[in-house]
């Protein structure tokens, strides 16, 4: 089944404890992206990647890191999480490296709480 | 940061009503406009991706139009059903590689 998977689905952690949220897609998509969703703000892009080893900042990259060492995986790293990073996170992928005309396929989401 | 605006914020309609929402976006550097449907406790799913001025797309009772010169897109739902209840998101792809989402329109359809 074609899909985007994320792990964990739910995570409660404490301030400053490094964490990684994994994202993997099995559709051979070029483009991958991370979003966070906060009430009233819609989906905001954190980082995106057009292809392996190519990543760029979205609108809200502060406090996050990403890497794209393999085409299928795009982990999101929070080196020192803070309470303002409490949010619902989505990973997404799409077919083309340029992204634009191709629909995004979203993962199931990761609910992160930082206390 | 690009501004993508959706209106109304929320909408409550009766089963059988037809309804429409608006997405406004910058008219310069247009590349694509996406519409997504997002049901509670699920992930957003693509409805349409439109790239050309004057584009009209249709999927069942849902259709969308695009005006890139004036920077707006309309999403129409004909004969709303309770299962259409969801948040409808539009997203603007500026030429480059970023996708910017609007805050969404919440639709609730009462039976």
């Amino acid at each position: 089944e074609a899909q985007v998977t994320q792990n964990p689905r739910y995570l409660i952690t404490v301030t400053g404890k490094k964490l990684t949220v994994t994202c993997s897609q099995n559709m051979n998509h070029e483009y991958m992206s991370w979003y966070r969703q906060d009430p009233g703000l819609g989906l905001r892009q954190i980082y995106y990647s057009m292809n392996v080893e190519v990543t760029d900042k979205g609108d809200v990259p502060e406090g996050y890191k990403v890497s794209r060492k393999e085409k299928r995986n795009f982990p999101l790293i929070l080196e020192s999480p803070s309470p303002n990073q409490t949010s619902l996170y989505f990973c997404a992928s799409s077919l083309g490296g340029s992204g634009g005309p191709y629909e995004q396929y979203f993962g199931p989401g990761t609910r992160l709480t930082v206390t | 940061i690009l501004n993508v605006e959706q209106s109304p914020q929320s909408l409550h309609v009766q089963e059988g009503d037809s309804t429409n929402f608006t997405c406004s976006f910058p008219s310069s550097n247009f590349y694509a406009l996406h519409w997504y449907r997002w049901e509670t406790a699920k992930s957003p799913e693509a409805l349409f991706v439109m790239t050309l001025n004057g584009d009209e797309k249709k999927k069942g009772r849902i259709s969308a139009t695009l005006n890139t010169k004036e920077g707006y897109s309309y999403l129409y739902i004909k004969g709303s059903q309770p299962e259409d209840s969801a948040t409808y998101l539009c997203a603007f792809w500026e030429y480059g590689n970023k996708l910017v989402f609007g805050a969404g329109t919440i639709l609730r359809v009462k039976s």
Side-chain angles (χ1 to χ4, degrees), chain B residues 50-110:
Chain B
M50 295 187 286
T51 57
L52 297 174
N53 185 43
D55 247 356
E56 291 189 22
K57 301 269 188 178
K58 188 174 181 184
K59 188 182 284 190
R61 294 180 290 98
I62 305 177
S63 61
T65 61
L66 177 68
N67 184 323
T68 61
K69 294 187 188 314
E70 296 183 38
Y72 65 83
S73 176
Y74 294 138
L75 188 78
Y76 300 92
I77 301 179
K78 187 177 177 182
S80 301
Q81 300 296 309
E83 58 265 30
D84 295 328
S85 296
T87 298
Y88 291 84
L89 300 168
C90 73
F92 169 74
W93 204 297
E94 185 187 38
Y95 191 79
N97 298 290
K98 269 198 317 195
L99 190 62
V100 179
F101 281 83
T105 292
I106 300 169
L107 174 67
R108 294 291 175 256
V109 183
K110 286 182 68 174

Side-chain angles (χ1 to χ4, degrees), chain A residues 31 50 59 100 102 104 107-108, chain B residues 32 34 36 38 43 49 93 97-98:
Chain A
Y31 187 99
M50 290 184 284
D59 288 327
Y102 303 101
Q104 301 263 293
Chain B
H34 297 213
Y36 292 86
W38 188 7
S43 307
V49 177
W93 204 297
N97 298 290
K98 269 198 317 195

Side-chain angles (χ1 to χ4, degrees), chain A residues 3 6 8 14-16 20-21 25 27 31 35 38 50 70 73 78-79 82 88 100 103:
Chain A
Q3 60 182 347
Q6 291 178 232
V14 296
T15 298
T20 299
V21 184
Q25 50 91 7
M27 297 171 277
Y31 187 99
Y35 300 90
D38 301 292
M50 290 184 284
E70 306 164 280
N73 296 323
L78 285 72
E79 294 267 1
S82 62
L88 176 62
E103 65 185 83

Side-chain angles (χ1 to χ4, degrees), chain A residues 23-63:
Chain A
C23 172
S24 184
Q25 50 91 7
N26 62 2
M27 297 171 277
N28 201 36
H29 283 173
E30 303 276 344
Y31 187 99
M32 297 187 75
S33 183
W34 276 102
Y35 300 90
R36 61 178 287 173
Q37 196 275 327
D38 301 292
L41 293 179
L43 289 167
R44 292 182 293 167
Q45 194 171 42
I46 303 171
Y47 270 95
Y48 62 92
S49 168
M50 290 184 284
N51 211 328
V52 176
E53 302 293 0
V54 180
T55 63
D56 209 346
K57 296 177 182 178
D59 288 327
V60 287
E62 294 78 20

